[in-house]
Each structure stands twice: as C-alpha cells, then as structure tokens.
Amino acid sequence: MAGRTGNRAGRWRQVLAVCCALVLLLAPVGFFAAVPGALARGHAYAAAPACAAGAGTGSCTTTVAATVTGTEEKARGRKADYWLRVTERGDDRVRRVRMSGSRLHDAVRAGDRVSLTYWRGEIRTVRFGSAAEETEASPADDWRLPLGLGLLTLPVGLGVLTAVLWWRRRYAAAAHASAWQLSVGPVAGALLGCLGFVAAQVRPDVRGALLVTALGVPPVAALTALVAWLTRRRERRAVDTSDIVPVPPAGRRCVRAAVLGDVPYSVDGFDHLVVGDGAPAVTPDPDGRVARRPLPPSLIVHEVRAPRPGDTVLGPGGGTYDTVLIECRDGAVTVVIALAREDAPIVLGALLSPARAAG
C-alpha cells in the first residue's frame, strides 16, 4: 500500500484526489441549478387551462379520444421501456407513446378507449377510465433526476474532500496504515447520497426529498462515528506489538511472508519463509522444499511493528490489522519481513536463535 505524501507519485495522487473532489462538489451546482426550471415547466403544465374551441395549443391543453391498437415492451438492461400504440378518432395513423411507467401498459388491451392530453404539441398524459399516467414527454417529474443527482454527488464530494484533507494533514503521521482511514468519509457520503437520490425519485415534491435526506444525516453520522471508533480501536490493538515474543520453532514450518529490501534474497514471487529447518530461507514454494534462499547471519532484528503510511509495499495481508513487520538491518540496508501476526513469534524466534547467530 502506497501512502507517502512526500514523493512525486504521492503528490500526483493528492492532486488527482483534489480534482475529483472539486468535480464532485461543482457538479451539484449544475444539477441544482436545473431544478427550478424543471419545476417551472411542471407547474406550467399542471396549471395550463384547457384550450378553447378553435384556439391553438401553445400554453393550453387539448384532450382527444383515442383507441389502443397494441402495446410494446422493450428491455433495456435491468429496466424496460413501455409503449402504447394508439389511433385518434378520425385519424387512422398509429402513434407510439412512450410511458413513464408500466401501469397503463399492463392495464390496457387492444380496442380500449383512452384519452390523450396534448400540451405544446406533445402527448403528456394518457387516461384510461379513472387512471392517469404521465408519458416520458411530460414535464411533471423533470425535477427528479437533477435533484437526485445533486443530492447524490454533493455528499460524495464532501466525503472525498474530507478524506483528501485528512490524508494531507494526518495520514503521514498515523501510527498504522489502513484503507479504512481514507474510505470512511467517501463511504458515508455515498450512503447519504444514495438516500438523497432515492428520496428524489419517490417523494412527491422537492421539500419531501430534502427532508428525507436531512433526516438521514444523523443516522449516517452516527454510523460513521461508530465505524471510525471501531477502526481506531483496532488500530490501537494493531500498533501494540508487545505481545509478540520470540518462540523458537519446534519443527519445520513454511509460512506466508515477504522479505522487502535492497538485498539479493528479496525476490519477487518469493512469498514464503521456511523456519525450523536450518537457516530461515525465502522460497516461492508453499511447501518450502525447492528454490530456497537462506537469510544471512548478518540480518539483525531491529524492531517488530505495525505497518505505517511510509511503508510503500506490504506483503501477506496487504496492510490489514493482522499484518506485522519485522524490521531488520543487514549492514546499512533496512530489510522488512511482512507477515501475519500469528506467524510472527516463530519467525522472530528463528531469527533470534543462538544457533543462527553462531552460524
């Protein structure tokens, strides 16, 4: 796991993260700006009077009788488009009307009589008996998508920005490296954003969608605080390596481990360590029988610790709370052995055995 803020790659990652956060914070501005116009169109349609006899169809509505000639359903991924085929009275042309949902599509049959409401030259509503459903051309719900996208991207952008700021100010000084440290904010923002998006699609008005989103803030904040507390608690446990004491291996053992450093026995793919069978040796063989490279007696244990943000590469466990590092010195070179916490005592015991030091 890479997390250093002082090198060039780290700075580029920070710049990229800041840019992503800014885009996610600027996007809601455009989405929210589209909501008033969409609401105005919906209100204009709802308030439009019926056209007087002989009048045009500019800002008023015209309702005509029509007959259903059939229905169509076209799958589109997990969703589907629903169409009605209708002919108006006195006109044999078949018109295809795309509906906003499936209610009327499932209710009508060929030969049923329906009413079509025109506004500004397009069919906006279809009525069948006492039931009415908007078409895709209706402006009644045009506000839902931009409001939902705005409520989705705003919390996510704030969460990403929070993670970036924490990364710049605190991550390099953290005692333990964990992906959770950077993901709590974005995940919390995504939860709240998804709630806001769903609320915009199901609530009857903008105020209701905003209220549901606002009511979601306390539980999301409480859940985030709980996760952060549990994470911090696990970090404190991971940082404490005082319970890892040397245990001489009772027999031959082959454990997952990575030896990292500018030394000849640090080889890509050599991800196992054999102990209790002569000198400790790295090998790519899970059984530890072939291609063994012994660790030299010059390798001296310096400390046992948890992964830190400055560690560029971690071995088995990938920097989880169960990963520990045995930091060693081979002359002037720092060598790190990354392995699971449960395997650390016997590896430490093999590295500190008197027989190996004598050899």
Side-chain angles (χ1 to χ4, degrees):
M1 176 179 177
R4 292 180 297 178
T5 59
N7 56 27
R8 181 175 300 178
R11 288 194 294 271
W12 273 111
R13 283 192 292 269
Q14 289 185 36
V15 171
L16 180 60
V18 170
C19 290
C20 291
L22 291 178
V23 169
L24 290 172
L25 289 175
L26 290 175
V29 176
F31 293 134
F32 289 140
V35 173
L39 286 172
R41 290 191 298 273
H43 292 156
Y45 172 56
C51 295
T57 59
S59 59
C60 56
T61 62
T62 302
T63 301
V64 300
T67 302
V68 177
T69 62
T71 60
E72 298 177 20
E73 179 179 347
K74 183 177 181 181
R76 184 163 53 89
R78 295 185 178 181
K79 298 183 179 180
D81 295 333
Y82 301 96
W83 302 79
L84 300 183
R85 296 196 304 270
V86 299
T87 57
E88 298 178 13
R89 184 177 300 175
D91 188 347
D92 292 335
R93 291 178 302 173
V94 177
R95 300 178 184 274
R96 296 175 72 245
V97 182
R98 184 180 174 185
M99 307 302 296
S100 60
S102 62
R103 188 156 52 98
L104 283 190
H105 172 275
D106 296 338
V108 300
R109 298 292 183 269
D112 287 339
R113 297 292 183 88
V114 295
S115 298
L116 310 178
T117 299
Y118 280 85
W119 183 64
R120 295 181 178 176
E122 294 190 58
I123 301 173
R124 312 288 184 164
T125 306
V126 180
R127 289 179 172 82
F128 174 59
S130 60
E133 187 173 1
E134 304 297 322
T135 70
E136 277 292 315
S138 172
D141 292 331
D142 284 355
W143 58 272
R144 294 188 182 277
L145 183 59
L147 179 64
L149 291 175
L151 292 176
L152 173 65
T153 54
L154 180 60
V156 173
L158 291 174
V160 172
L161 184 61
T162 300
V164 172
L165 293 177
W166 190 90
W167 184 12
R168 288 179 60 87
R169 298 180 180 179
R170 300 285 302 277
Y171 187 64
H176 186 271
S178 170
W180 270 107
Q181 296 167 333
L182 300 177
S183 62
V184 171
V187 169
L191 289 175
L192 186 60
C194 290
L195 175 63
F197 183 83
V198 172
Q201 309 313 306
V202 300
R203 296 301 299 169
D205 52 31
V206 173
R207 182 178 180 182
L210 295 177
L211 179 61
V212 169
T213 305
L215 291 175
V217 173
V220 170
L223 179 61
T224 302
L226 176 62
V227 170
W229 178 76
L230 292 174
T231 302
R232 181 59 180 164
R233 184 181 179 187
R234 292 195 67 184
E235 287 175 4
R236 287 196 295 266
R237 291 180 178 178
V239 170
D240 183 10
T241 58
S242 60
D243 60 332
I244 300 178
V245 296
V247 176
R252 183 176 173 277
R253 289 280 301 275
C254 186
V255 300
R256 285 288 305 276
V259 177
L260 312 169
D262 188 16
V263 289
Y265 46 90
S266 176
V267 183
D268 289 342
F270 282 57
D271 55 358
H272 287 76
L273 187 66
V274 182
V275 296
D277 185 16
V282 293
T283 175
D285 178 19
D287 294 327
R289 300 186 184 280
V290 298
R292 292 166 54 163
R293 292 198 178 189
L295 304 184
S298 58
L299 187 67
I300 306 301
V301 174
H302 177 66
E303 66 172 327
V304 180
R305 60 177 177 82
R308 297 168 186 159
D311 300 312
T312 57
V313 182
L314 299 181
T320 66
Y321 296 110
D322 295 324
T323 300
V324 296
L325 305 182
I326 301 177
E327 186 173 318
C328 307
R329 301 284 189 272
D330 190 349
V333 179
T334 297
V335 180
V336 174
I337 302 175
L339 71 169
R341 191 182 190 96
E342 64 180 2
D343 296 326
I346 61 168
V347 172
L348 190 61
L351 292 171
L352 295 177
S353 66
R356 175 174 176 272

